[in-house]
Amino acid sequence: MGIFVTKVKSDRGVTEIKHGAAVIAIGTDVYQPAEYLYGENDRVMTQLELEEQINKGDEKVIKAECLVMIQCVGCRNEERNYCSRICCSESVKNALKLKEINPGMDIYILFRDMRTYGFSEDYYREAAEKDVKFIRYEPQDQPQVEAVNEDGKSILRVTATEYVLGNKLEIDADIIALAAATIPSAGSKEVAQLFKVLWARMVSSRRPMSN
Ligand code: SF4
């Protein structure tokens, strides 16, 4: 337990608060994927971008026949060996929203583990009941994405190995949504210096779950 004094400036003047601990919420940024044709094909987007397009009513998204979500993009690997904790719930939320708007849409979620804990577990079950298909992949055998042209139609072809039977699956998607890792916000180093906190410690405290 430390002994801190924080001065808060407001319209009423400066107030001094003595406290034993301080929590510095650094916020997060979203990892910009270098995988799965992100940045090369405008039909590959992050879950956050997908949510924006759903809210805007983008017809390319809400009228898609087939949408594939790929989980754990840019994390739970050697470079970032933590779980971002929120993206499984975000994916399920977006899948349910899309099913509500367009019940006939085929939605596949390619995952390593679905970490929809707490109340989010109910949404996971609801998504499965609404025929969202969950397909597990292994970290050493990640899905592959390629852009192909068939009969004048541009398709995003996803290949993955089905974990239980070991069969190769091929899914032709209109849209791909990536559950991109959360990373420490750009300003976190500066904030760490201001508060004299070790930045590495701030960042490593983002590992509340096992890889
Ligand atoms: S919440 Fe964890 S397990 Fe789920 S996609 Fe994000 S990093 Fe992967």
Side-chain angles (χ1 to χ4, degrees), residues 90-172:
E90 169 81 359
S91 300
V92 168
K93 184 185 81 177
N94 282 342
L96 282 172
K97 189 75 199 162
L98 285 166
K99 278 284 184 189
E100 192 185 310
I101 299 168
N102 178 359
M105 187 186 297
D106 283 329
I107 302 178
Y108 295 84
I109 301 186
L110 309 187
F111 70 98
R112 280 177 55 182
D113 314 284
M114 285 308 288
R115 290 183 170 172
T116 44
Y117 41 85
F119 294 119
S120 297
E121 193 68 13
D122 295 339
Y123 297 120
Y124 167 66
R125 285 203 199 94
E126 189 184 336
E129 278 160 18
K130 293 194 170 151
D131 205 27
V132 173
K133 295 168 188 75
F134 292 87
I135 298 168
R136 185 170 173 189
Y137 74 86
E138 290 286 284
Q140 67 278 10
D141 186 11
Q142 301 201 344
Q144 303 294 317
V145 174
E146 60 174 335
V148 292
N149 232 304
E150 262 186 20
D151 304 326
K153 195 184 172 201
S154 163
I155 292 163
L156 292 162
R157 182 156 292 158
V158 183
T159 45
T161 309
E162 200 274 323
Y163 177 74
V164 180
L165 298 174
N167 298 334
K168 275 275 177 212
L169 298 176
E170 208 174 78
I171 307 163
D172 287 346

Side-chain angles (χ1 to χ4, degrees), residues 19-30:
H19 52 104
V23 175
I24 300 168
I26 57 172
T28 59
D29 286 337
V30 178

Side-chain angles (χ1 to χ4, degrees), residues 71-72 75-76 82-88 113-115 179:
Q71 302 301 105
C72 297
C75 58
R76 301 181 69 201
Y82 55 83
C83 167
S84 298
R85 299 187 70 194
I86 53 171
C87 19
C88 279
D113 314 284
M114 285 308 288
R115 290 183 170 172

